[in-house]
Amino acid sequence: MLNMLSEVDILPGIGEKTKADLNRAGIFTVRDLFYYLPRDYENYQNLTHISDLHPGKVSFIGKIVDIETKNARSRRLSITEAIVSDGDDSVRAVWFNQPYRATQFKDKNIEYLFSGQYELQRGRYQLSNPKVEKATAVEEASAYAGKFQPIYPQKSAIKPDTFKRLIFHLRAEFAKIPDLLPSLPDSSSFAGKNARRDALYKIHFPENQSEADVARTYLSYEELFELILAARLNRNENKKLTARQIPYNNDAMQQLLKSLPFQLTQAQKISAWEIIKDLEKKTPMNRLLQGDVGSGKTIVAATAILQATKAGFQSALLAPTSILATQHAEELDKILSPLGVKIGLLVGATKHKPELKSRIKSGEVDLVVGTHAIITDDTQFQDLSLCIIDEQHRFGVQQRQKLLLKAQDFAPHLLSMTATPIPRSLQLTVFGDLDVSIISEMPHGRKPIRTKVLTEVEQRETLYPHIRDELNLGRQAYWICKKIEDGHSRDSMAKQETISVKRQTEKLKTIFPRAKIEFLHGRMKPAEKDEIMAKFSNHKIDILVSTTVVEVGVNVPNATIMVIMDAESYGLAQLHQLRGRVGRGDFQSYCYLITSAEQPTRRLLEVEKSTDGFHLAEVDLKLRGPGEIYGSLQHGALDLRIASLADTHLINLAQRHAEKISQNPEIMIKYKELGQGIKKYQQLTTLN
Ligand code: ADP
Ligand code: MG
């Protein structure tokens, strides 16, 4: 049997040089190499005659009879056009930005194999960006590799064809690949024994597309299984820890509810109750409180903080920005200090820090609200037993763990909060170690935000008059731009330049001369940011032009208009979150998505259609993958090789299987490779 974790040079034919090349491309082990998968296949099975071409993927053999390169209107685009003939008929082939093509085919007598997309473009049929190989080379290759051949992605300096040759010559080694998983679910269609070796062989060397598809399904399954098992094991490990038990204090709870100017929604009550139940236990809570923007998560967190305080323990609330931390501290102060909770705000700009820190250490402060400043080494607690992380995806694994380590003898209860809805598939996989509470309804009386996608040229007619009206009514607006200032980067050569916060501010001052307009961005000093935000909150500013720093949490109920420039460059979840800055009071609110494209994309139209953050997250997951949605996973670490987190059927199957295995984790000692894969995922997903 092969040890898949050995270095690549144990494989026959791989010497020092190849090894060095592979290492440079990030391929170290046999496993890395065998899991370097084709991105597609070339189907030489169905060679056609040019006269029989149908739209779609086609392959045929022909000679180039004419070829030339033109520069298109924009100097950045070149078009190379060739006429290809097979003796009976001819067809136009077109390459974009590959001017070298024109000199590649000097000899008009050589036969080439063309494969690519045959399609209608600007009223004419053409073969777009075809791949071209010498027909003789194809014949040689198909003699040994069959007519269905893998196309590998390029990686650093290693060309697709180099991978093809390299992996092809290792064919015989595939029979030595050991199974990865201790068992397979009975209900699955995977062959039990040797499932992995078969799948890997067939994904590299399939006879046809359906063989490749079956192999891919199995390999996806493996990957999902590892991910889910990792989350399960994390959950089990968390259960072994001991937390402070926080007994339920009904009097305090009733006092809090009575003091509120509103009634909790049913969903808020249920979530609060689930949290209270967790706090009573000896094992630490690890719960995610999920609720759309404006659904009222803060008050639910407040109930937990109150319980901890009444039991004599400290709490910490970590927020990603000082603006947000300050707002939380103010709001919680209003709600909780009348009930005897002492609150300290610890952000970068906090004055008299040493004094505050000593009050935290002595236990005088019951709740510390703050930013990263809380997790610096010299902040010590007396008895921290409840940690709350707002907008949890803004924090990395390490930051979360640093906060948890502030507790001494006991593991703290952890409540993570997020407004970015986590689709069920992610809940089962990446977030599988969490319990989840969902605030599924909005407080009564909220009016859904009206959303409209506009192109840049439509602003003048539609948007400006509307803004004038709202300003006259005494409302306020946010205006979001991508960049802080106009750069002199190479970008500025591009035709569609994104407008900067500073330029937009100037522009708006001329359009709305009577309005008070200021800007805000992440590179300002924290104190400056807080000042601007406070001015906006007190209506000393009418239009706030900003980068996405206002994305998280801030609450200005008088703001009714949200304009987002270059909207197509954001993820749907992010657009939804930004939109959630308005519609937080009694007034009808509006969101305008301005696109610099000629046509709004399907993604933007989804945001126009739906105010359901859950639905949008699902769409985003399908269109852009998990990394884009989940900030902390953006390091690319969770780039699943094969599996799609949208594949709920496989996820369910893998989940049941992982559940079983997680009950006797000793098995991992025997299955070293599995153990190693899982460890990686465990670190990534721990306490998500
Ligand atoms: P988010 O879930 O986005 O963090 P917040 O906790 O900031 O939302 O709450 C948004 C606003 O809704 C706040 O002004 C809060 O006081 C208010 N709110 C919360 N719960 C209710 C409720 N049940 N009824 C009415 N207003 C509520
Ligand atoms: Mg919030």
Side-chain angles (χ1 to χ4, degrees), residues 260-266 268 291-300 324 327-328 331 335 390-391 417-419 439 442-444 446 553-555 557 577 580-581 584:
L260 294 176
F262 48 75
Q263 290 233 313
L264 292 188
T265 60
Q266 194 60 22
Q268 282 173 314
D292 215 339
V293 268
S295 62
K297 293 182 287 295
T298 318
I299 185 71
V300 174
L324 189 53
Q327 253 193 13
H328 275 321
E331 193 182 341
I335 304 171
D390 195 17
E391 310 289 349
M417 305 202 287
T418 182
I439 308 184
M442 286 292 186
H444 297 294
R446 291 276 167 81
V554 289
N555 196 24
Q577 178 96 5
R581 293 308 107 216
R584 302 176 78 83

Side-chain angles (χ1 to χ4, degrees), residues 467-610:
I467 295 211
R468 227 165 258 131
D469 291 346
E470 288 289 310
L471 294 181
N472 286 339
L473 287 170
R475 303 285 93 80
Q476 293 161 274
Y478 292 96
W479 207 296
I480 307 299
C481 300
K482 193 95 199 163
K483 293 190 307 178
I484 299 171
E485 48 200 324
D486 297 321
H488 302 284
S489 64
R490 265 179 291 141
D491 257 16
S492 58
M493 298 278 290
K495 191 179 78 197
Q496 290 154 351
E497 191 175 358
T498 55
I499 191 158
S500 67
V501 165
K502 290 183 179 166
R503 195 146 55 87
Q504 185 71 51
T505 306
E506 292 316 309
K507 192 172 161 194
L508 290 176
K509 280 182 178 167
T510 63
I511 300 170
F512 307 107
R514 294 214 311 274
K516 284 162 291 196
I517 304 174
E518 298 206 34
F519 63 77
L520 177 73
H521 59 74
R523 259 192 260 142
M524 291 161 81
K525 294 206 181 71
E528 274 180 289
K529 279 192 273 187
D530 292 348
E531 192 196 319
I532 295 280
M533 210 51 230
K535 276 170 83 178
F536 188 61
S537 181
N538 300 325
H539 203 170
K540 300 263 167 29
I541 295 174
D542 297 310
I543 303 179
L544 181 63
V545 185
S546 172
T547 54
T548 56
V549 288
V550 295
E551 171 184 329
V552 282
V554 289
N555 196 24
V556 182
N558 191 51
T560 54
I561 292 208
M562 166 62 66
V563 182
I564 304 170
M565 305 301 289
D566 297 294
E568 68 278 2
S569 58
Y570 298 94
L572 298 193
Q574 202 180 4
L575 290 174
H576 179 67
Q577 178 96 5
L578 282 166
R579 175 169 62 179
R581 293 308 107 216
V582 296
R584 302 176 78 83
D586 300 331
F587 310 114
Q588 175 63 54
S589 293
Y590 307 87
C591 174
Y592 288 95
L593 306 172
I594 313 296
T595 172
S596 53
E598 278 168 36
Q599 290 276 324
T601 58
R602 195 183 124 208
R603 291 176 50 245
L604 287 187
L605 293 175
E606 288 284 348
V607 185
E608 186 177 85
K609 265 199 321 231
S610 172

